[in-house]
Amino acid sequence: MAKLIHNTEIAAMFDQLADLLEIEGANRFRVRAYRNAAREIANLPRQAADMAAAGEDLAALPAIGDDLAGKIAEIAASGRLKLLDEVTRRTPAGLSEIVALPGIGPKRAKILHDKLGVKSIADLAARIKAGSLQGLAGFGARTVAKMLQEIEARSSTARRFKLHDAESQAEPLCAHLASLPGVERAIIAGSYRRRKETVGDIDILVTCAAKHAAEVTRSFTSYLEVERVAASGPTRSTVILRGGLQADLRVVPPASHGAALHYFTGSKDHNIAIRAMAVKDGLKVNEYGAFLGAKQIAGRREEDIYRLFGMDYIEPELRENGGEIEAAKSGRLPKLVTVADIRGDLHAHTSASDGTLTIAEMAEVARRKGYDYLAITDHSKRVSVAHGLDEKRLNAQIDEIDKLQERFGRFRILKSCEVDILSDGKLDITDDTLKRLDFVYGAVHYNFELPREKQTERIIRAMDNRHFSILAHPTGRIINRRPPYDIDMERIVAAARQRGCAIEINAHPDRLDMNDVHARMAKEAGVKIAIGTDAHSAEGLEMMRYGIDQARRGWLEAKDVINTRAWPELRKLLKRTP
Ligand code: DGT
Ligand code: CA
Ligand code: CA
């Protein structure tokens, strides 16, 4: 089964090629052509690989000529680019990693290599600590400090994969195993099933009779996407997939299915707590089953493990040993929110700022999804790179939505704006325009480095504006790329509660911000939560389920999430505390 190459992957390959060519001192027009192509591909509303497969002429795209169209087709068909492989081979080892560090770029990478002979990221970190970069042109103290911070952040997160990225490899692999003869079920367990925002590896559990195990294992280790087989035995194997994601396979007989699924779903802390409870009852629970002495008394079905201890079934998202066991014993588990509860999306961009579709196009996609409403939340003017709206353009957009609304009948286009929170806590749009909106999203997009106290005050000041409704992606983190900015979440939550503001769980798989811990904190404080996709395209609107995953990990029920309500009720909920 060939894997569809995503536009972001094609763009990344072209960007990398441009970087490496630049280090080599290649013609700058050639370098720029690859960079332009990367940007063009990254912003395409459709998958270039699909277009190539459908025989469409990619050379008709603005930044793409015949040569580049050929290269895109090559990547789409094979997942590789011969030229990139060649250039990578002749680039000094380690340099290609260094150049990919944010803020370094080809010019600085070349200096590091030529002047200091830096060979790897680890080497670079050591040189920075030893002070070898002091006085090197182009490497000010601030730049160097940032580089070190980035390297250290990476080494602690580099081995984890975003859930969304893992999914695109894990699901086809799991479906492949499920289709094999004799296989009863194939399920991805581990942190993946608990829907953690990042996974260290994926853990696949295959249930089949023992006689089929060898064939399942062989099929797993020879799967198309496998780069390397790390271990292979009769019931457990480990492979490394292309791109570095590790997949563990366990093959179990039907009689142990439930116990193994429970064990490999984890978390480890949850398992340990269950096992300790079993020991108190004189039982033993492990991945093979639940046992009284040598006799297996449960383990075929996962629910039975919980039932054995008089507990309600615990959803995987709650299995972090965060009080779920006590709640399950006393019948106090939350009834977790689901995708089906969601009535509309509260966070979406259009081509007026940095989105790809018009208001009408986005609204049409949302309506076809069965939603009752979609909020249009383009950026405000401070975010000039995203072509943010000033008062004049926002007022025109409000008028345009009022007109469009007539065409959409019962489906409602909500008038909103993702207004920038300025450094001093003022909002980027004046009140007489804000008051025309159905509600106002506030967001921080710059000055991330303010100290905790100041950053917290800045956001609370913004909430003081009586038009402020929802705080967007409250910590600004971009998973594996940008750490959260420093804020006192407890104070923010308390301030939101006092003022009747809501806080967002941003469903974008790179953000998932609030995280599970903050979402639960907000719920417990009685703060309303909005789940928005931050969609910049039709595809973006499909990311809602990741926001739901995060909400579930935060113990949220439908009643805790404001966009599970129809518009009349939502409108009331958005009213602030007077
Ligand atoms: P990850 O891969 O780091 O995102 O997190 P998990 O939870 O998927 O962890 P992983 O892949 O190391 O192991 C899968 C599951 O196996 C884990 O969630 C619980 C179970 N497990 C692993 N090691 C232990 C252990 O030492 N004791 C117990 N009770 N369970 C374990
Ligand atoms: Ca795992
Ligand atoms: Ca594992």
Side-chain angles (χ1 to χ4, degrees), residues 201-203 246 248:
D201 67 4
I202 56 166
D203 307 278
Q246 175 177 316
D248 290 345

Side-chain angles (χ1 to χ4, degrees), residues 497-552:
R497 168 87 184 98
Q498 279 163 6
R499 291 159 182 76
C501 299
I503 303 181
E504 176 184 67
I505 291 178
N506 189 292
H508 193 293
D510 291 351
R511 291 192 181 268
L512 297 170
D513 177 21
M514 294 188 281
N515 65 20
D516 52 342
V517 175
H518 290 157
R520 194 169 171 191
M521 184 201 282
K523 170 200 165 116
E524 280 167 8
V527 169
K528 299 167 284 192
I529 289 144
I531 307 180
T533 59
D534 208 345
H536 286 70
S537 63
E539 202 191 7
L541 289 170
E542 299 304 318
M543 303 297 136
M544 184 58 82
R545 60 194 179 87
Y546 295 101
I548 296 289
D549 289 336
Q550 191 75 304
R552 290 166 64 88

Side-chain angles (χ1 to χ4, degrees), residues 66 118 195 200 224 318 355 365 375 478:
D66 286 337
V118 170
R195 307 310 286 164
L224 196 69
L318 298 180
V365 176
I478 307 284

Side-chain angles (χ1 to χ4, degrees), residues 348-359 362 376 378 397 535-536:
H349 296 266
T350 74
S351 48
S353 63
D354 54 350
T356 54
L357 300 182
T358 63
I359 301 171
M362 286 297 272
I376 301 300
D378 278 314
Q397 186 180 68
H536 286 70

